[in-house]
Amino acid sequence: MSRIKIKDNSRTPKKSLSGISLLTSKIADKTLEQLENEGIFVFPEILRDADDITKDQMILQSVNNYYLSSNVMGFMGLGDEKLIVESRFSDNGQDFLFQYLLERVFDVPNIVDLETDANNDDRVFNLLVFIFPHYLKSAIRKGVFKTYVRKTYNDSNVKGTIDIARHIVKNTPFVGNVAYSRREYSFDNDLMELIRHTVEFIKHKPYGHKLLAQAKDEVKDVVAATPNYEMCNRQKIIDANKTNTIRHAYYREYRELQNLCLLILQHQKHQIGMGSKKVYGLLFDGAWLWEEYMNSIVGEIFYHPMNKATKGSQRLFDHNRGLIYPDFISRNSEARVIADAKYKPIDNIGNKDYLQVLAYMFRFDAKKGFYFYPEMGEEEDAVMWLNRGSTYEKNVEAREDICIIKHGFQIPTGIDGYSAFTEQMRCNEIKFLDGIYGNGRKL
């Protein structure tokens, strides 16, 4: 088995990935949209309104003798070849940060141990299982899936097509019943049965009931819709869904859920990545993960508009013109503060970032703005006061009432063990909040 790790937003020599040449030939220079169509799961699913990640973005872009990685983290596999894209803010060969962000954002128990888990297939598999409730809730919002199915009967109330062969077998000698079948519009179909099998499979995991509790109403809907569920039919249901995939655009969420269920259930048969020519994997937008993690820390003092989910949209101008989604808007309207989460080092926060936040500050009459970024050193907050005046009049000077602060969240380094890393992150979250409040003052 060939397993190679790289960092996001990095440059990697092509020769160093020669051990996974089949996989790189499948994913290099392909956009996220193309990879999604091939079965790769990308978080978040809604990319059309994203500022940090687009459907045209590539996981690996070929430039001369190098591959350039992007703002994406996760796992991909093809047969025995595996590629892990870690966070560039991790150290010591252990990506504790990525693991911690996943746990906090998705509110799940310990998902993956990137080092102690010897089986990389199990690592990917665990991630697939833990995102199941998210995809289930997203699909059920469209209502329980209903479609035409052919059902067989053997009674005296004939309504459908008589099945001669089955009738002879079941009704000889004739006692009044007739074997027949008919098409019915039913909730109990192959797709809902597949989802039910996945639910039952997860239930038998040690963490199963806690995990499914995140979507308990949706699980009840699935159970109610599948009264004919039988565990012995699992392979038959898998085969039926592999043959008949959901194609209608309206049921896009169900198509994604169908693909996820197939990956989860087929892993149980040791088929995931074993001799298959199909690429599989799970990718996360690093900027989105960081922004959602920041929201889990500062959510009590900031509103959080979400451009990818089109929630909390704001407008620059009247008549609904100038759509904007500031990352964070303080709940205190008397002394409004704007904040922007940046998954990049402090030195990479530059002109375009400044213009964006200043526009948001002007729109909301804010005198203070923040950049929330990951910091691996001991950097002090960088306070930048807005200038007034012009170089033409030679009267440029710093104002004393408007500023933007680069406020870094310190990522622990040199930590042995994930438990110690988690404990240090919790302490740093408190320090991070204290720095926003500023010596106890109310934000």
Side-chain angles (χ1 to χ4, degrees):
M1 178 182 292
S2 299
R3 184 182 70 168
I4 294 179
K5 294 181 180 182
I6 63 173
K7 302 286 189 181
D8 65 46
N9 292 278
S10 65
R11 188 175 71 164
T12 306
K14 288 184 177 180
K15 61 181 180 181
S16 66
L17 299 184
S18 59
I20 55 170
S21 56
L22 290 178
L23 176 59
T24 54
S25 67
K26 286 279 191 179
I27 64 176
D29 297 321
K30 287 192 176 180
T31 65
L32 286 178
E33 185 173 23
Q34 290 173 315
L35 291 175
E36 271 191 310
N37 293 334
E38 293 182 9
I40 299 288
F41 289 90
V42 181
F43 260 86
E45 305 97 299
I46 302 173
L47 300 174
R48 61 183 179 273
D49 297 313
D51 294 328
D52 302 304
I53 186 172
T54 68
K55 286 188 175 182
D56 295 328
Q57 187 168 322
M58 298 176 184
I59 307 303
L60 290 179
Q61 184 177 5
S62 178
V63 179
N64 298 326
N65 294 322
Y66 294 89
Y67 284 123
L68 302 181
S69 61
S70 61
N71 227 24
V72 175
M73 299 179 284
F75 311 91
M76 285 164 288
L78 175 65
D80 288 335
E81 298 182 0
K82 317 296 179 201
L83 176 66
I84 302 173
V85 184
E86 298 181 328
S87 169
R88 58 185 149 161
F89 295 101
S90 61
D91 73 331
N92 294 339
Q94 298 177 324
D95 197 0
F96 292 150
L97 176 61
F98 182 32
Q99 177 178 346
Y100 186 78
L101 294 182
L102 289 175
E103 293 178 14
R104 285 297 302 270
V105 171
F106 289 95
D107 191 26
V108 295
N110 192 338
I111 298 179
V112 288
D113 188 326
L114 298 182
E115 289 305 311
T116 61
D117 186 355
N119 188 327
N120 191 48
D121 282 340
D122 287 342
R123 181 185 301 115
V124 179
F125 173 68
N126 286 338
L127 279 171
L128 293 173
V129 169
F130 278 102
I131 66 171
F132 173 77
H134 175 91
Y135 277 88
L136 177 61
K137 290 191 286 187
S138 178
I140 295 292
R141 289 192 194 104
K142 292 284 179 71
V144 177
F145 183 77
K146 193 174 185 181
T147 189
Y148 281 103
V149 297
R150 181 161 291 278
K151 293 192 175 183
T152 59
Y153 296 91
N154 186 46
D155 55 41
S156 59
N157 187 25
V158 182
K159 292 182 179 179
T161 304
I162 296 176
D163 188 338
I164 301 297
R166 190 163 57 89
H167 176 73
I168 293 173
V169 171
K170 288 185 171 291
N171 300 310
T172 302
F174 183 68
V175 292
N177 291 337
V178 177
Y180 64 96
S181 63
R182 67 185 183 196
R183 277 169 55 84
E184 298 179 0
Y185 202 48
S186 173
F187 290 116
D188 196 359
N189 50 67
D190 289 338
L191 176 56
M192 294 306 299
E193 286 284 342
L194 180 74
I195 300 171
R196 174 69 182 278
H197 278 280
T198 309
V199 167
E200 297 299 328
F201 172 75
I202 295 175
K203 277 183 181 179
H204 288 86
K205 295 291 181 181
Y207 46 75
H209 288 283
K210 181 177 181 180
L211 183 63
L212 292 174
Q214 300 177 34
K216 59 181 180 181
D217 292 335
E218 290 77 9
V219 169
K220 288 179 182 177
D221 290 340
V222 171
V223 172
T226 52
N228 296 321
Y229 163 78
E230 292 183 10
M231 189 175 69
C232 60
N233 290 335
R234 180 166 296 174
Q235 190 57 49
K236 177 183 175 183
I237 293 297
I238 290 174
D239 293 339
N241 279 272
K242 289 169 66 176
T243 304
N244 301 301
T245 56
I246 302 300
R247 291 183 173 86
H248 198 289
Y250 179 76
Y251 291 112
R252 178 182 62 84
E253 293 84 358
Y254 272 105
R255 181 172 64 246
E256 293 169 347
L257 180 60
Q258 183 184 45
N259 291 336
L260 178 62
C261 291
L262 286 172
L263 281 175
I264 291 173
L265 293 178
Q266 287 184 102
H267 181 275
Q268 181 68 2
K269 298 294 184 182
H270 305 289
Q271 294 173 357
I272 182 170
M274 303 298 290
S276 171
K277 294 182 180 180
K278 184 177 177 63
V279 178
Y280 67 91
L282 183 59
L283 302 172
F284 295 85
D285 171 13
W288 175 79
L289 264 181
W290 181 253
E291 181 181 323
E292 294 305 308
Y293 171 58
M294 287 291 101
N295 183 51
S296 72
I297 299 175
V298 304
E300 291 186 0
I301 53 177
F302 284 94
Y303 299 114
H304 178 42
M306 292 180 284
N307 58 346
K308 296 174 179 64
T310 63
K311 294 180 180 179
S313 61
Q314 308 293 320
R315 300 284 177 172
L316 283 173
F317 307 107
D318 59 355
H319 302 298
N320 281 333
R321 288 175 291 194
L323 177 67
I324 57 172
Y325 288 95
D327 286 351
F328 300 102
I329 306 171
S330 70
R331 297 176 183 271
N332 182 358
S333 59
E334 295 180 3
R336 190 77 78 184
V337 175
I338 299 296
D340 198 32
K342 289 297 180 188
Y343 179 68
K344 58 175 70 172
I346 185 172
D347 293 334
N348 290 3
I349 301 174
N351 285 349
K352 285 182 64 177
D353 303 317
Y354 299 153
L355 294 174
Q356 183 186 52
V357 169
L358 282 172
Y360 295 160
M361 291 171 63
F362 184 72
R363 161 65 177 82
F364 292 98
D365 294 323
K367 301 294 185 182
K368 181 185 290 187
F370 281 99
Y371 291 110
F372 300 152
Y373 69 96
E375 170 59 54
M376 295 186 71
E378 298 286 344
E379 289 281 347
E380 297 274 338
D381 281 0
V383 182
M384 302 177 294
W385 296 95
L386 184 66
N387 276 337
R388 59 158 55 95
S390 165
T391 56
Y392 292 106
E393 285 84 30
K394 298 182 180 179
N395 59 352
V396 176
E397 62 178 358
R399 301 174 58 142
E400 297 179 353
D401 58 339
I402 300 177
C403 69
I404 298 179
I405 303 171
K406 293 181 179 180
H407 183 51
F409 182 99
Q410 190 172 359
I411 308 299
T413 57
I415 301 292
D416 259 344
Y418 183 67
S419 297
F421 181 87
T422 300
E423 183 178 349
Q424 187 60 54
M425 284 290 285
R426 297 288 187 181
C427 294
N428 290 354
E429 288 166 5
I430 297 173
K431 295 178 183 177
F432 182 77
L433 274 177
D434 288 342
I436 297 173
Y437 280 103
N439 299 323
R441 291 176 296 172
K442 183 177 181 181
L443 187 66

